[in-house]
Amino acid sequence: MKFRYFYIALCALLTSCGTSQKAVDYDANPAINLQRILDEETGEKLAHSTGLSLTVISPKLDIDFTGAAGFDSLEKDRKLDAAQPFRIASLTKVFVAVAIMRLRENGQLALDDAITQYISQEHIEILRKGGYHPDAITIRQCLIHSSGLYDYAEGGPEYIEVASKTPSRRWTRTEQIQFAMDYGKPHAAAGIEQHYSDTGYILLGEIIEKSTNTGLAEGLRSLLKLDKIGMNATWLETLEPSPEGLLPSVKRYVGPLDASEWDASVDLYGGGGLVSTTRDLAMFLQALFDGQIFEHEDSLAVMLLQKDYDAAGKQLPIQRLGFRSIQGKKNDIVAYTHSGFWGTLFIHFPEYQCSIAINNTNDADSEALQRVINYMLWLGKQS
């Protein structure tokens, strides 16, 4: 489901708290209700989506569900299996943001450090020639998209046009930074305005590499404790070996165009690049919010900006790092979420210890996620 529509719908759902759905519509078994939603959204009657995979984990609501329905491609020649992995695109940004916070825990950086302390001189010069003042751009600003950096990937149509004409091209981070300079201008001085920027996140990827003295894949895997969490179907594509024994990946599309075989480097160095499953994605959210990744008690609060302080100890009212947060207008239910270009979204509700991850084969405007959340909110109201 496209995020701009989801955001509006979720605000409405949080306000209503799921009261629009009658109890008689639900079976006593949550798995039956969730699978029914998937089946209906991919079935002939509704046909909103070619295929959907879903995981919902909520110890508080006694839900642990993973399922799928429909097909793994527009060709509809193979049934979708919930264990099939897929490129998660910009959900990778949350992993990068958490890794940056882990580096902060280790004392290897501060959020208000200038990026010039960590990125190459070559990249510093590219930014300067592009009209930026990289000494004034901080790690925090890259995290919250207030760096002023033009988005090489989605700032305009040019990048997708070039990528579609040269699908086997092996992009470098340097080429992508230069692309942002060639096709866009600074939005504003750093820290003034918010503009979504993959460019800022590939620089954060470089900062992780420099700070860990490893490749990005090794840095993420170690900092995020992916193996300890049990995320056995998650990897940074082409930058580390893929796990053995996995099913074929779900196809990826730009509109009707099959982009599944585009070189992974088109979206790899921090703005995207991870491949995962809905099961692994929901497990990651659960681990993050259950305190299994951060070492310091206040790190999650700082990331979510429940509290943050400047050097003088003054609390800072700033935006959240990595996540987008949504809160109902008439209640205290808060959700932390992020979406990805190819049709993936995950969301966590601390109120219900609930993590939801959903993947859409063809990024259609399915109502499945709205229905799943509505059901979860209804269950929460009954508990």
Short mmCIF file of all heavy atoms in Angstrom, two decimals, residues 12-39:
data_model
loop_
_atom_site.label_atom_id
_atom_site.label_comp_id
_atom_site.label_asym_id
_atom_site.label_seq_id
_atom_site.Cartn_x
_atom_site.Cartn_y
_atom_site.Cartn_z
N ALA A 12 -6.64 7.84 10.85
CA ALA A 12 -8.07 7.64 11.08
C ALA A 12 -8.32 6.40 11.93
O ALA A 12 -9.15 6.41 12.84
CB ALA A 12 -8.80 7.52 9.75
N LEU A 13 -7.55 5.32 11.67
CA LEU A 13 -7.72 4.10 12.44
C LEU A 13 -7.35 4.30 13.90
O LEU A 13 -8.04 3.83 14.80
CB LEU A 13 -6.85 3.00 11.85
CG LEU A 13 -7.39 2.26 10.63
CD1 LEU A 13 -6.36 1.27 10.12
CD2 LEU A 13 -8.68 1.53 10.94
N LEU A 14 -6.26 5.01 14.15
CA LEU A 14 -5.84 5.23 15.53
C LEU A 14 -6.86 6.08 16.29
O LEU A 14 -7.04 5.92 17.48
CB LEU A 14 -4.47 5.90 15.56
CG LEU A 14 -3.29 5.05 15.07
CD1 LEU A 14 -1.99 5.81 15.25
CD2 LEU A 14 -3.23 3.72 15.77
N THR A 15 -7.50 6.97 15.58
CA THR A 15 -8.52 7.80 16.21
C THR A 15 -9.74 6.98 16.57
O THR A 15 -10.33 7.12 17.64
CB THR A 15 -8.92 8.95 15.28
OG1 THR A 15 -7.77 9.77 15.04
CG2 THR A 15 -10.01 9.79 15.90
N SER A 16 -10.14 6.06 15.65
CA SER A 16 -11.34 5.26 15.89
C SER A 16 -11.07 4.09 16.83
O SER A 16 -11.98 3.51 17.40
CB SER A 16 -11.88 4.71 14.57
OG SER A 16 -10.99 3.78 14.00
N CYS A 17 -9.76 3.70 16.94
CA CYS A 17 -9.38 2.57 17.81
C CYS A 17 -10.06 1.27 17.42
O CYS A 17 -10.36 0.43 18.25
CB CYS A 17 -9.70 2.88 19.27
SG CYS A 17 -8.24 3.24 20.23
N GLY A 18 -10.32 1.11 16.13
CA GLY A 18 -10.86 -0.15 15.66
C GLY A 18 -12.31 -0.38 16.00
O GLY A 18 -12.80 -1.49 15.88
N THR A 19 -13.02 0.63 16.40
CA THR A 19 -14.40 0.44 16.83
C THR A 19 -15.36 0.21 15.67
O THR A 19 -16.49 -0.19 15.88
CB THR A 19 -14.87 1.67 17.62
OG1 THR A 19 -14.69 2.84 16.80
CG2 THR A 19 -14.08 1.82 18.89
N SER A 20 -14.89 0.45 14.44
CA SER A 20 -15.80 0.30 13.30
C SER A 20 -16.08 -1.15 12.96
O SER A 20 -16.99 -1.46 12.22
CB SER A 20 -15.21 1.01 12.08
OG SER A 20 -13.97 0.42 11.73
N GLN A 21 -15.26 -2.08 13.46
CA GLN A 21 -15.42 -3.48 13.14
C GLN A 21 -16.18 -4.20 14.26
O GLN A 21 -15.87 -4.05 15.43
CB GLN A 21 -14.04 -4.13 12.95
CG GLN A 21 -14.10 -5.51 12.35
CD GLN A 21 -14.42 -5.50 10.87
OE1 GLN A 21 -14.28 -4.47 10.23
NE2 GLN A 21 -14.86 -6.61 10.35
N LYS A 22 -17.18 -4.96 13.89
CA LYS A 22 -18.00 -5.66 14.86
C LYS A 22 -17.35 -6.99 15.23
O LYS A 22 -16.74 -7.66 14.40
CB LYS A 22 -19.40 -5.91 14.30
CG LYS A 22 -20.16 -4.62 14.02
CD LYS A 22 -21.53 -4.93 13.45
CE LYS A 22 -22.31 -3.67 13.16
NZ LYS A 22 -23.63 -3.95 12.57
N ALA A 23 -17.50 -7.38 16.46
CA ALA A 23 -16.90 -8.63 16.94
C ALA A 23 -17.40 -9.83 16.15
O ALA A 23 -16.67 -10.79 15.94
CB ALA A 23 -17.21 -8.82 18.43
N VAL A 24 -18.63 -9.81 15.68
CA VAL A 24 -19.21 -10.94 14.98
C VAL A 24 -18.48 -11.23 13.68
O VAL A 24 -18.55 -12.32 13.14
CB VAL A 24 -20.71 -10.68 14.71
CG1 VAL A 24 -20.90 -9.59 13.66
CG2 VAL A 24 -21.41 -11.97 14.31
N ASP A 25 -17.72 -10.27 13.17
CA ASP A 25 -16.99 -10.46 11.92
C ASP A 25 -15.75 -11.33 12.10
O ASP A 25 -15.14 -11.75 11.13
CB ASP A 25 -16.55 -9.12 11.33
CG ASP A 25 -17.72 -8.28 10.88
OD1 ASP A 25 -18.79 -8.85 10.60
OD2 ASP A 25 -17.57 -7.06 10.81
N TYR A 26 -15.35 -11.58 13.33
CA TYR A 26 -14.09 -12.25 13.58
C TYR A 26 -14.28 -13.65 14.15
O TYR A 26 -15.16 -13.90 14.97
CB TYR A 26 -13.25 -11.44 14.58
CG TYR A 26 -12.80 -10.10 14.07
CD1 TYR A 26 -12.99 -8.95 14.85
CD2 TYR A 26 -12.20 -9.97 12.82
CE1 TYR A 26 -12.55 -7.71 14.40
CE2 TYR A 26 -11.78 -8.73 12.36
CZ TYR A 26 -11.96 -7.60 13.15
OH TYR A 26 -11.54 -6.38 12.71
N ASP A 27 -13.40 -14.55 13.73
CA ASP A 27 -13.30 -15.86 14.35
C ASP A 27 -12.54 -15.72 15.66
O ASP A 27 -11.83 -14.73 15.88
CB ASP A 27 -12.56 -16.80 13.39
CG ASP A 27 -12.58 -18.24 13.87
OD1 ASP A 27 -11.67 -18.62 14.64
OD2 ASP A 27 -13.50 -18.97 13.48
N ALA A 28 -12.67 -16.70 16.53
CA ALA A 28 -11.94 -16.65 17.80
C ALA A 28 -10.44 -16.85 17.62
O ALA A 28 -9.66 -16.48 18.49
CB ALA A 28 -12.49 -17.72 18.74
N ASN A 29 -10.04 -17.41 16.49
CA ASN A 29 -8.63 -17.68 16.21
C ASN A 29 -8.04 -16.54 15.38
O ASN A 29 -8.41 -16.34 14.22
CB ASN A 29 -8.50 -19.00 15.46
CG ASN A 29 -7.06 -19.42 15.26
OD1 ASN A 29 -6.13 -18.61 15.38
ND2 ASN A 29 -6.86 -20.68 14.93
N PRO A 30 -7.08 -15.77 15.91
CA PRO A 30 -6.50 -14.66 15.15
C PRO A 30 -5.90 -15.09 13.82
O PRO A 30 -5.97 -14.36 12.83
CB PRO A 30 -5.43 -14.11 16.09
CG PRO A 30 -5.90 -14.47 17.46
CD PRO A 30 -6.54 -15.81 17.29
N ALA A 31 -5.27 -16.26 13.77
CA ALA A 31 -4.64 -16.71 12.53
C ALA A 31 -5.66 -16.85 11.41
O ALA A 31 -5.37 -16.52 10.25
CB ALA A 31 -3.92 -18.04 12.76
N ILE A 32 -6.85 -17.31 11.75
CA ILE A 32 -7.90 -17.46 10.74
C ILE A 32 -8.31 -16.09 10.20
O ILE A 32 -8.48 -15.89 8.99
CB ILE A 32 -9.11 -18.21 11.32
CG1 ILE A 32 -8.74 -19.67 11.61
CG2 ILE A 32 -10.32 -18.13 10.39
CD1 ILE A 32 -9.83 -20.46 12.29
N ASN A 33 -8.45 -15.13 11.09
CA ASN A 33 -8.86 -13.79 10.67
C ASN A 33 -7.80 -13.13 9.79
O ASN A 33 -8.12 -12.50 8.77
CB ASN A 33 -9.11 -12.92 11.90
CG ASN A 33 -10.21 -13.47 12.77
OD1 ASN A 33 -11.26 -13.88 12.29
ND2 ASN A 33 -9.98 -13.50 14.07
N LEU A 34 -6.53 -13.26 10.16
CA LEU A 34 -5.46 -12.63 9.40
C LEU A 34 -5.28 -13.30 8.04
O LEU A 34 -5.08 -12.61 7.02
CB LEU A 34 -4.16 -12.68 10.20
CG LEU A 34 -4.18 -11.83 11.47
CD1 LEU A 34 -2.95 -12.13 12.34
CD2 LEU A 34 -4.24 -10.35 11.15
N GLN A 35 -5.36 -14.61 8.00
CA GLN A 35 -5.25 -15.30 6.71
C GLN A 35 -6.43 -14.95 5.81
O GLN A 35 -6.27 -14.82 4.58
CB GLN A 35 -5.16 -16.81 6.92
CG GLN A 35 -4.89 -17.59 5.64
CD GLN A 35 -3.55 -17.25 5.01
OE1 GLN A 35 -2.52 -17.26 5.69
NE2 GLN A 35 -3.55 -16.92 3.72
N ARG A 36 -7.59 -14.79 6.39
CA ARG A 36 -8.76 -14.42 5.60
C ARG A 36 -8.57 -13.06 4.93
O ARG A 36 -8.94 -12.87 3.78
CB ARG A 36 -10.02 -14.41 6.47
CG ARG A 36 -11.31 -14.13 5.68
CD ARG A 36 -12.52 -14.20 6.59
NE ARG A 36 -12.55 -13.08 7.52
CZ ARG A 36 -13.49 -12.92 8.46
NH1 ARG A 36 -14.45 -13.83 8.58
NH2 ARG A 36 -13.47 -11.88 9.26
N ILE A 37 -7.97 -12.14 5.66
CA ILE A 37 -7.71 -10.82 5.09
C ILE A 37 -6.80 -10.96 3.87
O ILE A 37 -7.05 -10.37 2.81
CB ILE A 37 -7.07 -9.89 6.14
CG1 ILE A 37 -8.10 -9.53 7.21
CG2 ILE A 37 -6.53 -8.61 5.47
CD1 ILE A 37 -7.53 -8.79 8.39
N LEU A 38 -5.72 -11.73 4.00
CA LEU A 38 -4.80 -11.93 2.89
C LEU A 38 -5.50 -12.58 1.70
O LEU A 38 -5.34 -12.16 0.54
CB LEU A 38 -3.62 -12.79 3.32
CG LEU A 38 -2.71 -12.23 4.42
CD1 LEU A 38 -1.61 -13.22 4.75
CD2 LEU A 38 -2.12 -10.89 4.02
N ASP A 39 -6.28 -13.61 1.98
CA ASP A 39 -6.98 -14.33 0.91
C ASP A 39 -7.95 -13.41 0.17
O ASP A 39 -8.05 -13.44 -1.06
CB ASP A 39 -7.72 -15.53 1.47
CG ASP A 39 -6.78 -16.62 1.99
OD1 ASP A 39 -5.61 -16.64 1.55
OD2 ASP A 39 -7.22 -17.43 2.83
#
